[in-house]
Amino acid sequence: MKSDFQTMTMKELKKYVLENRNDETAFQALMERVDAQPQDQVYGEVDAEEFSAILEQHRRFQKD
């Protein structure tokens, strides 16, 4: 039985691929879906101090 990858949510498809690692068709469907997503951010070099500050801010936000 083959699953209908087009009707799966991204979360469902990822889960399926993890549970069926030898299913090349599922993996290809996942890669096509990932490639189709818009790339909103491009990450350049990371400033370690700035990253630490952002991470700390995120941690404080999560506590609230």
Side-chain angles (χ1 to χ4, degrees), residues 19-54:
E19 292 171 352
N20 299 278
R21 294 177 186 262
N22 292 328
D23 189 334
E24 292 292 326
T25 305
F27 179 75
Q28 187 61 39
L30 178 60
M31 292 300 97
E32 289 172 4
R33 182 102 50 103
V34 168
D35 286 342
Q37 292 182 343
Q39 301 296 317
D40 292 337
Q41 294 180 322
V42 176
Y43 298 96
E45 292 184 34
V46 176
D47 179 331
E49 290 180 26
E50 182 180 357
F51 179 77
S52 293
I54 293 170

Side-chain angles (χ1 to χ4, degrees), residues 51-64:
F51 179 77
S52 293
I54 293 170
L55 183 59
E56 185 59 34
Q57 180 182 7
H58 177 73
R59 287 179 179 157
R60 277 188 255 138
F61 179 75
Q62 294 297 319
K63 288 181 183 178
D64 295 341

